[in-house]
Amino acid sequence: MDLGICDRVALVTGASEGLGFAVARALAEEGAKLAIAARRTETLEAAARDLRERTGAPVLAVPCDVSRLEDIPQLVARAAEHFGDRLDILVCNAGGPPFGRPLDLNDEQWQQGFELTLRSVVALCRAVVPHMRRRRWGRIVAITSTSAREPIDGLTLSNALRPAVHGYLKSLSRDVGADNILVNTVCPGSYLTQRHRDLLPRWAADQGMTPEDLLRQREAAVPLRRFGEPIELGRVVAFLCSEPASYVSGVSLPVDGGLCRGLL
Ligand code: NAD
């Protein structure tokens, strides 16, 4: 299927590795022009080189910590300017909030989680919508988590803040639909990225298990009996950013191998 996004300009945040990188790769494979952002210049530049070599896509790397809300207008302006004053696609992604049980998190962790997980999405949307409105075409997708649907033990910040991201984006989808801007969220299940590798020992200790046993238990809990490959999520996001997805908005889509049990 031709996704019809060749030469569309896309900004993907948190794109130096993991799921964000896979989304950037899937969009680049469809011919999109890319601006990618993450905090560390060296890993970000390496990711940009990798994407250019794999796909031949033009890739602009803009170092940015999306939890520094004051830096977001500049990020969006640079991305748009670089590609002829346009920005068609935004994929909001970043690192997940840290492990923490409900009574253990301090105020600073709540504030940081709020800025990283919710406020960054709000600030990115505010900055990109005017570009999309001007051309009456836009796609916004946020990568959240199945925690927005079913809480994950120990990931309190995620359990509390991801539903807020869904609430915000559902509201936004209603306000910008008339401008032909589609807004959706995807909820990843389990993917063995750096984040997952970093969390495993903490989770395992919490449950009195070894990381290896916990990994096996988590794989067995997925109806497809395996973790996802990041590119499997990347391609779903690319579809939601595409022309054929032109009547899909306000949706929250688990990409989890069937893990979530909810019927709707
Ligand atoms: P990851 O840690 O492997 O990669 C995160 C990417 O975001 C990296 O490029 C990192 O440099 C960048 N990043 C981190 N903090 C940033 C910031 N403040 N500003 C800009 N860039 C930043 O994570 P991942 O596994 O790819 O997960 C991506 C998102 O999906 C996270 O929010 C995570 O919680 C969520 N998620 C992941 C899984 C999974 O199984 N991997 C499952 C559910 C949800």
Side-chain angles (χ1 to χ4, degrees), residues 14-20 38-40 64-67 93-96 116 143-145 162 188-191 193-196:
S16 64
E17 58 187 325
L19 303 180
R39 289 163 304 177
R40 284 163 297 151
C64 179
D65 178 341
V66 294
S67 69
N93 177 59
L116 175 67
I143 298 180
T144 64
S145 169
R162 304 283 196 197
S190 295
Y191 297 79
T193 58
Q194 195 52 49
R195 169 165 172 81
H196 213 119

PDB file of all heavy atoms in Angstrom, residues 14-20 38-40 64-67 93-96 116 143-145 162 188-191 193-196, ligand 1:
ATOM      1  N   GLY A  14      12.237  12.042  20.788  1.00  0.00           N
ATOM      2  CA  GLY A  14      12.713  10.807  21.439  1.00  0.00           C
ATOM      3  C   GLY A  14      13.079   9.772  20.396  1.00  0.00           C
ATOM      4  O   GLY A  14      12.758   8.589  20.535  1.00  0.00           O
ATOM      5  N   ALA A  15      13.791  10.224  19.348  1.00  0.00           N
ATOM      6  CA  ALA A  15      13.956   9.361  18.159  1.00  0.00           C
ATOM      7  C   ALA A  15      15.373   8.817  17.997  1.00  0.00           C
ATOM      8  O   ALA A  15      15.684   8.265  16.946  1.00  0.00           O
ATOM      9  CB  ALA A  15      13.555  10.140  16.906  1.00  0.00           C
ATOM     10  N   SER A  16      16.225   8.947  19.023  1.00  0.00           N
ATOM     11  CA  SER A  16      17.597   8.459  18.812  1.00  0.00           C
ATOM     12  C   SER A  16      17.692   6.946  18.963  1.00  0.00           C
ATOM     13  O   SER A  16      18.638   6.337  18.480  1.00  0.00           O
ATOM     14  CB  SER A  16      18.569   9.162  19.770  1.00  0.00           C
ATOM     15  OG  SER A  16      18.265   8.831  21.095  1.00  0.00           O
ATOM     16  N   GLU A  17      16.730   6.345  19.647  1.00  0.00           N
ATOM     17  CA  GLU A  17      16.753   4.871  19.777  1.00  0.00           C
ATOM     18  C   GLU A  17      15.357   4.355  20.106  1.00  0.00           C
ATOM     19  O   GLU A  17      14.405   5.135  20.218  1.00  0.00           O
ATOM     20  CB  GLU A  17      17.770   4.440  20.842  1.00  0.00           C
ATOM     21  CG  GLU A  17      17.514   5.014  22.197  1.00  0.00           C
ATOM     22  CD  GLU A  17      18.633   4.705  23.188  1.00  0.00           C
ATOM     23  OE1 GLU A  17      19.228   3.621  23.119  1.00  0.00           O
ATOM     24  OE2 GLU A  17      18.887   5.561  24.043  1.00  0.00           O
ATOM     25  N   GLY A  18      15.243   3.063  20.253  1.00  0.00           N
ATOM     26  CA  GLY A  18      13.996   2.451  20.709  1.00  0.00           C
ATOM     27  C   GLY A  18      12.824   2.691  19.769  1.00  0.00           C
ATOM     28  O   GLY A  18      12.963   2.698  18.540  1.00  0.00           O
ATOM     29  N   LEU A  19      11.651   2.887  20.356  1.00  0.00           N
ATOM     30  CA  LEU A  19      10.420   2.989  19.568  1.00  0.00           C
ATOM     31  C   LEU A  19      10.417   4.247  18.698  1.00  0.00           C
ATOM     32  O   LEU A  19       9.949   4.213  17.555  1.00  0.00           O
ATOM     33  CB  LEU A  19       9.202   2.976  20.507  1.00  0.00           C
ATOM     34  CG  LEU A  19       9.093   1.746  21.424  1.00  0.00           C
ATOM     35  CD1 LEU A  19       7.846   1.846  22.313  1.00  0.00           C
ATOM     36  CD2 LEU A  19       9.052   0.454  20.602  1.00  0.00           C
ATOM     37  N   GLY A  20      10.935   5.353  19.231  1.00  0.00           N
ATOM     38  CA  GLY A  20      10.966   6.600  18.454  1.00  0.00           C
ATOM     39  C   GLY A  20      11.823   6.455  17.207  1.00  0.00           C
ATOM     40  O   GLY A  20      11.458   6.916  16.116  1.00  0.00           O
ATOM     41  N   ALA A  38      16.201  14.402  20.304  1.00  0.00           N
ATOM     42  CA  ALA A  38      16.463  13.669  21.545  1.00  0.00           C
ATOM     43  C   ALA A  38      17.479  14.518  22.303  1.00  0.00           C
ATOM     44  O   ALA A  38      17.965  15.531  21.771  1.00  0.00           O
ATOM     45  CB  ALA A  38      16.983  12.257  21.285  1.00  0.00           C
ATOM     46  N   ARG A  39      17.816  14.093  23.526  1.00  0.00           N
ATOM     47  CA  ARG A  39      18.637  14.990  24.355  1.00  0.00           C
ATOM     48  C   ARG A  39      20.110  14.985  23.976  1.00  0.00           C
ATOM     49  O   ARG A  39      20.748  16.017  23.948  1.00  0.00           O
ATOM     50  CB  ARG A  39      18.527  14.576  25.830  1.00  0.00           C
ATOM     51  CG  ARG A  39      17.185  14.865  26.441  1.00  0.00           C
ATOM     52  CD  ARG A  39      16.998  14.089  27.699  1.00  0.00           C
ATOM     53  NE  ARG A  39      17.176  12.650  27.442  1.00  0.00           N
ATOM     54  CZ  ARG A  39      17.133  11.700  28.345  1.00  0.00           C
ATOM     55  NH1 ARG A  39      16.947  12.005  29.604  1.00  0.00           N
ATOM     56  NH2 ARG A  39      17.277  10.432  28.025  1.00  0.00           N
ATOM     57  N   ARG A  40      20.660  13.805  23.701  1.00  0.00           N
ATOM     58  CA  ARG A  40      22.118  13.711  23.554  1.00  0.00           C
ATOM     59  C   ARG A  40      22.552  13.854  22.099  1.00  0.00           C
ATOM     60  O   ARG A  40      22.156  13.056  21.244  1.00  0.00           O
ATOM     61  CB  ARG A  40      22.618  12.374  24.134  1.00  0.00           C
ATOM     62  CG  ARG A  40      22.640  12.379  25.659  1.00  0.00           C
ATOM     63  CD  ARG A  40      22.719  10.996  26.214  1.00  0.00           C
ATOM     64  NE  ARG A  40      21.541  10.226  25.842  1.00  0.00           N
ATOM     65  CZ  ARG A  40      21.509   8.910  25.673  1.00  0.00           C
ATOM     66  NH1 ARG A  40      22.603   8.214  25.819  1.00  0.00           N
ATOM     67  NH2 ARG A  40      20.405   8.290  25.346  1.00  0.00           N
ATOM     68  N   CYS A  64      17.247  18.214  21.742  1.00  0.00           N
ATOM     69  CA  CYS A  64      16.221  18.903  22.556  1.00  0.00           C
ATOM     70  C   CYS A  64      15.728  17.962  23.643  1.00  0.00           C
ATOM     71  O   CYS A  64      15.443  16.793  23.374  1.00  0.00           O
ATOM     72  CB  CYS A  64      15.049  19.317  21.655  1.00  0.00           C
ATOM     73  SG  CYS A  64      13.713  20.141  22.564  1.00  0.00           S
ATOM     74  N   ASP A  65      15.647  18.482  24.849  1.00  0.00           N
ATOM     75  CA  ASP A  65      15.005  17.761  25.945  1.00  0.00           C
ATOM     76  C   ASP A  65      13.561  18.248  25.986  1.00  0.00           C
ATOM     77  O   ASP A  65      13.303  19.410  26.331  1.00  0.00           O
ATOM     78  CB  ASP A  65      15.746  18.103  27.252  1.00  0.00           C
ATOM     79  CG  ASP A  65      15.122  17.436  28.466  1.00  0.00           C
ATOM     80  OD1 ASP A  65      13.940  17.018  28.393  1.00  0.00           O
ATOM     81  OD2 ASP A  65      15.804  17.351  29.497  1.00  0.00           O
ATOM     82  N   VAL A  66      12.618  17.382  25.625  1.00  0.00           N
ATOM     83  CA  VAL A  66      11.228  17.857  25.494  1.00  0.00           C
ATOM     84  C   VAL A  66      10.578  18.187  26.845  1.00  0.00           C
ATOM     85  O   VAL A  66       9.506  18.785  26.872  1.00  0.00           O
ATOM     86  CB  VAL A  66      10.324  16.867  24.696  1.00  0.00           C
ATOM     87  CG1 VAL A  66      10.772  16.761  23.255  1.00  0.00           C
ATOM     88  CG2 VAL A  66      10.245  15.509  25.372  1.00  0.00           C
ATOM     89  N   SER A  67      11.244  17.805  27.953  1.00  0.00           N
ATOM     90  CA  SER A  67      10.683  18.210  29.244  1.00  0.00           C
ATOM     91  C   SER A  67      11.060  19.653  29.573  1.00  0.00           C
ATOM     92  O   SER A  67      10.558  20.230  30.532  1.00  0.00           O
ATOM     93  CB  SER A  67      11.116  17.261  30.363  1.00  0.00           C
ATOM     94  OG  SER A  67      12.487  17.396  30.613  1.00  0.00           O
ATOM     95  N   ASN A  93       7.064  11.476  21.421  1.00  0.00           N
ATOM     96  CA  ASN A  93       7.630  10.333  22.139  1.00  0.00           C
ATOM     97  C   ASN A  93       8.780  10.847  23.001  1.00  0.00           C
ATOM     98  O   ASN A  93       9.364  11.892  22.706  1.00  0.00           O
ATOM     99  CB  ASN A  93       8.152   9.297  21.129  1.00  0.00           C
ATOM    100  CG  ASN A  93       8.824   8.116  21.806  1.00  0.00           C
ATOM    101  OD1 ASN A  93       8.209   7.420  22.609  1.00  0.00           O
ATOM    102  ND2 ASN A  93      10.098   7.884  21.497  1.00  0.00           N
ATOM    103  N   ALA A  94       9.079  10.153  24.076  1.00  0.00           N
ATOM    104  CA  ALA A  94      10.244  10.481  24.922  1.00  0.00           C
ATOM    105  C   ALA A  94      10.476   9.280  25.813  1.00  0.00           C
ATOM    106  O   ALA A  94       9.780   8.266  25.687  1.00  0.00           O
ATOM    107  CB  ALA A  94       9.974  11.730  25.760  1.00  0.00           C
ATOM    108  N   GLY A  95      11.434   9.393  26.716  1.00  0.00           N
ATOM    109  CA  GLY A  95      11.640   8.298  27.658  1.00  0.00           C
ATOM    110  C   GLY A  95      10.421   8.195  28.569  1.00  0.00           C
ATOM    111  O   GLY A  95       9.689   9.164  28.765  1.00  0.00           O
ATOM    112  N   GLY A  96      10.197   7.022  29.126  1.00  0.00           N
ATOM    113  CA  GLY A  96       9.067   6.855  30.053  1.00  0.00           C
ATOM    114  C   GLY A  96       9.451   7.355  31.434  1.00  0.00           C
ATOM    115  O   GLY A  96      10.631   7.464  31.772  1.00  0.00           O
ATOM    116  N   LEU A 116       7.550  15.821  31.600  1.00  0.00           N
ATOM    117  CA  LEU A 116       8.027  14.914  30.543  1.00  0.00           C
ATOM    118  C   LEU A 116       6.862  14.253  29.805  1.00  0.00           C
ATOM    119  O   LEU A 116       6.847  14.186  28.572  1.00  0.00           O
ATOM    120  CB  LEU A 116       8.916  13.831  31.172  1.00  0.00           C
ATOM    121  CG  LEU A 116       9.411  12.737  30.226  1.00  0.00           C
ATOM    122  CD1 LEU A 116      10.386  13.307  29.203  1.00  0.00           C
ATOM    123  CD2 LEU A 116      10.077  11.597  30.995  1.00  0.00           C
ATOM    124  N   ILE A 143       3.026   8.396  21.330  1.00  0.00           N
ATOM    125  CA  ILE A 143       3.320   7.052  21.836  1.00  0.00           C
ATOM    126  C   ILE A 143       3.136   7.083  23.346  1.00  0.00           C
ATOM    127  O   ILE A 143       3.815   7.846  24.040  1.00  0.00           O
ATOM    128  CB  ILE A 143       4.751   6.626  21.466  1.00  0.00           C
ATOM    129  CG1 ILE A 143       4.893   6.587  19.943  1.00  0.00           C
ATOM    130  CG2 ILE A 143       5.077   5.270  22.095  1.00  0.00           C
ATOM    131  CD1 ILE A 143       6.248   6.187  19.458  1.00  0.00           C
ATOM    132  N   THR A 144       2.185   6.316  23.843  1.00  0.00           N
ATOM    133  CA  THR A 144       1.958   6.318  25.292  1.00  0.00           C
ATOM    134  C   THR A 144       2.299   4.932  25.837  1.00  0.00           C
ATOM    135  O   THR A 144       3.438   4.488  25.715  1.00  0.00           O
ATOM    136  CB  THR A 144       0.506   6.749  25.618  1.00  0.00           C
ATOM    137  OG1 THR A 144      -0.413   5.788  25.100  1.00  0.00           O
ATOM    138  CG2 THR A 144       0.206   8.126  25.054  1.00  0.00           C
ATOM    139  N   SER A 145       1.310   4.193  26.339  1.00  0.00           N
ATOM    140  CA  SER A 145       1.583   2.880  26.920  1.00  0.00           C
ATOM    141  C   SER A 145       0.259   2.183  27.195  1.00  0.00           C
ATOM    142  O   SER A 145      -0.773   2.847  27.361  1.00  0.00           O
ATOM    143  CB  SER A 145       2.332   3.061  28.250  1.00  0.00           C
ATOM    144  OG  SER A 145       2.389   1.839  28.956  1.00  0.00           O
ATOM    145  N   ARG A 162      -0.395   8.940  31.751  1.00  0.00           N
ATOM    146  CA  ARG A 162      -0.744   8.577  30.355  1.00  0.00           C
ATOM    147  C   ARG A 162      -2.230   8.793  30.065  1.00  0.00           C
ATOM    148  O   ARG A 162      -2.568   9.272  28.987  1.00  0.00           O
ATOM    149  CB  ARG A 162      -0.408   7.114  30.069  1.00  0.00           C
ATOM    150  CG  ARG A 162       1.030   6.706  30.326  1.00  0.00           C
ATOM    151  CD  ARG A 162       1.958   7.149  29.253  1.00  0.00           C
ATOM    152  NE  ARG A 162       3.222   6.439  29.339  1.00  0.00           N
ATOM    153  CZ  ARG A 162       4.343   6.816  28.757  1.00  0.00           C
ATOM    154  NH1 ARG A 162       4.376   7.909  28.011  1.00  0.00           N
ATOM    155  NH2 ARG A 162       5.437   6.127  28.877  1.00  0.00           N
ATOM    156  N   PRO A 188       2.006   1.099  23.249  1.00  0.00           N
ATOM    157  CA  PRO A 188       2.865  -0.079  23.092  1.00  0.00           C
ATOM    158  C   PRO A 188       2.669  -1.050  24.247  1.00  0.00           C
ATOM    159  O   PRO A 188       2.428  -0.634  25.382  1.00  0.00           O
ATOM    160  CB  PRO A 188       4.293   0.489  23.131  1.00  0.00           C
ATOM    161  CG  PRO A 188       4.173   1.967  23.151  1.00  0.00           C
ATOM    162  CD  PRO A 188       2.769   2.324  23.527  1.00  0.00           C
ATOM    163  N   GLY A 189       2.792  -2.335  23.944  1.00  0.00           N
ATOM    164  CA  GLY A 189       2.843  -3.354  24.989  1.00  0.00           C
ATOM    165  C   GLY A 189       4.299  -3.503  25.416  1.00  0.00           C
ATOM    166  O   GLY A 189       4.896  -2.565  25.927  1.00  0.00           O
ATOM    167  N   SER A 190       4.900  -4.661  25.158  1.00  0.00           N
ATOM    168  CA  SER A 190       6.283  -4.889  25.594  1.00  0.00           C
ATOM    169  C   SER A 190       7.238  -5.021  24.413  1.00  0.00           C
ATOM    170  O   SER A 190       7.015  -5.846  23.515  1.00  0.00           O
ATOM    171  CB  SER A 190       6.350  -6.176  26.422  1.00  0.00           C
ATOM    172  OG  SER A 190       5.622  -6.014  27.610  1.00  0.00           O
ATOM    173  N   TYR A 191       8.290  -4.229  24.447  1.00  0.00           N
ATOM    174  CA  TYR A 191       9.346  -4.217  23.417  1.00  0.00           C
ATOM    175  C   TYR A 191      10.669  -4.182  24.170  1.00  0.00           C
ATOM    176  O   TYR A 191      10.817  -3.379  25.104  1.00  0.00           O
ATOM    177  CB  TYR A 191       9.226  -2.967  22.534  1.00  0.00           C
ATOM    178  CG  TYR A 191       7.932  -2.916  21.747  1.00  0.00           C
ATOM    179  CD1 TYR A 191       6.740  -2.516  22.347  1.00  0.00           C
ATOM    180  CD2 TYR A 191       7.906  -3.296  20.407  1.00  0.00           C
ATOM    181  CE1 TYR A 191       5.547  -2.494  21.641  1.00  0.00           C
ATOM    182  CE2 TYR A 191       6.714  -3.275  19.689  1.00  0.00           C
ATOM    183  CZ  TYR A 191       5.547  -2.872  20.313  1.00  0.00           C
ATOM    184  OH  TYR A 191       4.372  -2.849  19.598  1.00  0.00           O
ATOM    185  N   THR A 193      13.441  -2.716  24.416  1.00  0.00           N
ATOM    186  CA  THR A 193      14.284  -1.540  24.141  1.00  0.00           C
ATOM    187  C   THR A 193      15.146  -1.262  25.364  1.00  0.00           C
ATOM    188  O   THR A 193      15.031  -1.946  26.387  1.00  0.00           O
ATOM    189  CB  THR A 193      13.388  -0.324  23.894  1.00  0.00           C
ATOM    190  OG1 THR A 193      12.585  -0.162  25.080  1.00  0.00           O
ATOM    191  CG2 THR A 193      12.475  -0.502  22.692  1.00  0.00           C
ATOM    192  N   GLN A 194      15.954  -0.201  25.270  1.00  0.00           N
ATOM    193  CA  GLN A 194      16.817   0.161  26.397  1.00  0.00           C
ATOM    194  C   GLN A 194      15.980   0.430  27.649  1.00  0.00           C
ATOM    195  O   GLN A 194      16.339   0.035  28.748  1.00  0.00           O
ATOM    196  CB  GLN A 194      17.662   1.390  26.034  1.00  0.00           C
ATOM    197  CG  GLN A 194      18.823   1.625  26.979  1.00  0.00           C
ATOM    198  CD  GLN A 194      19.692   0.382  27.172  1.00  0.00           C
ATOM    199  OE1 GLN A 194      20.097  -0.262  26.210  1.00  0.00           O
ATOM    200  NE2 GLN A 194      19.948   0.013  28.430  1.00  0.00           N
ATOM    201  N   ARG A 195      14.831   1.112  27.452  1.00  0.00           N
ATOM    202  CA  ARG A 195      13.975   1.393  28.629  1.00  0.00           C
ATOM    203  C   ARG A 195      13.551   0.104  29.319  1.00  0.00           C
ATOM    204  O   ARG A 195      13.633  -0.008  30.531  1.00  0.00           O
ATOM    205  CB  ARG A 195      12.732   2.164  28.208  1.00  0.00           C
ATOM    206  CG  ARG A 195      11.689   2.239  29.330  1.00  0.00           C
ATOM    207  CD  ARG A 195      10.645   3.274  29.087  1.00  0.00           C
ATOM    208  NE  ARG A 195       9.555   3.221  30.060  1.00  0.00           N
ATOM    209  CZ  ARG A 195       9.588   3.753  31.271  1.00  0.00           C
ATOM    210  NH1 ARG A 195      10.690   4.350  31.694  1.00  0.00           N
ATOM    211  NH2 ARG A 195       8.541   3.703  32.074  1.00  0.00           N
ATOM    212  N   HIS A 196      13.140  -0.852  28.520  1.00  0.00           N
ATOM    213  CA  HIS A 196      12.660  -2.100  29.107  1.00  0.00           C
ATOM    214  C   HIS A 196      13.805  -2.822  29.814  1.00  0.00           C
ATOM    215  O   HIS A 196      13.644  -3.355  30.914  1.00  0.00           O
ATOM    216  CB  HIS A 196      12.049  -2.971  28.008  1.00  0.00           C
ATOM    217  CG  HIS A 196      10.913  -3.787  28.506  1.00  0.00           C
ATOM    218  ND1 HIS A 196       9.641  -3.691  28.022  1.00  0.00           N
ATOM    219  CD2 HIS A 196      10.853  -4.721  29.493  1.00  0.00           C
ATOM    220  CE1 HIS A 196       8.857  -4.530  28.672  1.00  0.00           C
ATOM    221  NE2 HIS A 196       9.570  -5.171  29.556  1.00  0.00           N
TER     222      HIS A 196
HETATM  223  P1  NAD B   1      13.952   4.223  25.246  1.00  0.00           P
HETATM  224  O1  NAD B   1      14.384   4.712  26.603  1.00  0.00           O
HETATM  225  O2  NAD B   1      14.574   3.003  24.701  1.00  0.00           O
HETATM  226  O3  NAD B   1      14.094   5.410  24.184  1.00  0.00           O
HETATM  227  C1  NAD B   1      13.594   6.690  24.518  1.00  0.00           C
HETATM  228  C2  NAD B   1      14.048   7.704  23.480  1.00  0.00           C
HETATM  229  O4  NAD B   1      13.618   9.002  23.943  1.00  0.00           O
HETATM  230  C3  NAD B   1      15.550   7.811  23.334  1.00  0.00           C
HETATM  231  O5  NAD B   1      15.841   8.252  22.024  1.00  0.00           O
HETATM  232  C4  NAD B   1      15.918   8.900  24.361  1.00  0.00           C
HETATM  233  O6  NAD B   1      17.145   9.513  24.060  1.00  0.00           O
HETATM  234  C5  NAD B   1      14.751   9.846  24.159  1.00  0.00           C
HETATM  235  N1  NAD B   1      14.436  10.691  25.299  1.00  0.00           N
HETATM  236  C6  NAD B   1      14.339  10.315  26.591  1.00  0.00           C
HETATM  237  N2  NAD B   1      13.992  11.374  27.343  1.00  0.00           N
HETATM  238  C7  NAD B   1      13.876  12.437  26.503  1.00  0.00           C
HETATM  239  C8  NAD B   1      13.571  13.803  26.688  1.00  0.00           C
HETATM  240  N3  NAD B   1      13.316  14.308  27.894  1.00  0.00           N
HETATM  241  N4  NAD B   1      13.544  14.605  25.584  1.00  0.00           N
HETATM  242  C9  NAD B   1      13.806  14.115  24.365  1.00  0.00           C
HETATM  243  N5  NAD B   1      14.121  12.835  24.134  1.00  0.00           N
HETATM  244  C10 NAD B   1      14.156  12.009  25.196  1.00  0.00           C
HETATM  245  O7  NAD B   1      12.365   4.047  25.398  1.00  0.00           O
HETATM  246  P2  NAD B   1      11.370   3.164  24.496  1.00  0.00           P
HETATM  247  O8  NAD B   1      11.274   1.820  25.061  1.00  0.00           O
HETATM  248  O9  NAD B   1      11.690   3.378  23.073  1.00  0.00           O
HETATM  249  O10 NAD B   1       9.978   3.859  24.888  1.00  0.00           O
HETATM  250  C11 NAD B   1       9.480   5.017  24.273  1.00  0.00           C
HETATM  251  C12 NAD B   1       8.195   5.412  24.986  1.00  0.00           C
HETATM  252  O11 NAD B   1       7.271   4.320  24.916  1.00  0.00           O
HETATM  253  C13 NAD B   1       8.413   5.688  26.469  1.00  0.00           C
HETATM  254  O12 NAD B   1       7.562   6.728  26.873  1.00  0.00           O
HETATM  255  C14 NAD B   1       8.023   4.392  27.133  1.00  0.00           C
HETATM  256  O13 NAD B   1       7.598   4.552  28.450  1.00  0.00           O
HETATM  257  C15 NAD B   1       6.882   3.963  26.224  1.00  0.00           C
HETATM  258  N6  NAD B   1       6.654   2.517  26.313  1.00  0.00           N
HETATM  259  C16 NAD B   1       7.639   1.634  26.032  1.00  0.00           C
HETATM  260  C17 NAD B   1       7.379   0.282  26.161  1.00  0.00           C
HETATM  261  C18 NAD B   1       8.430  -0.773  25.880  1.00  0.00           C
HETATM  262  O14 NAD B   1       8.170  -1.950  26.095  1.00  0.00           O
HETATM  263  N7  NAD B   1       9.610  -0.404  25.416  1.00  0.00           N
HETATM  264  C19 NAD B   1       6.114  -0.154  26.577  1.00  0.00           C
HETATM  265  C20 NAD B   1       5.132   0.779  26.857  1.00  0.00           C
HETATM  266  C21 NAD B   1       5.409   2.128  26.719  1.00  0.00           C
END
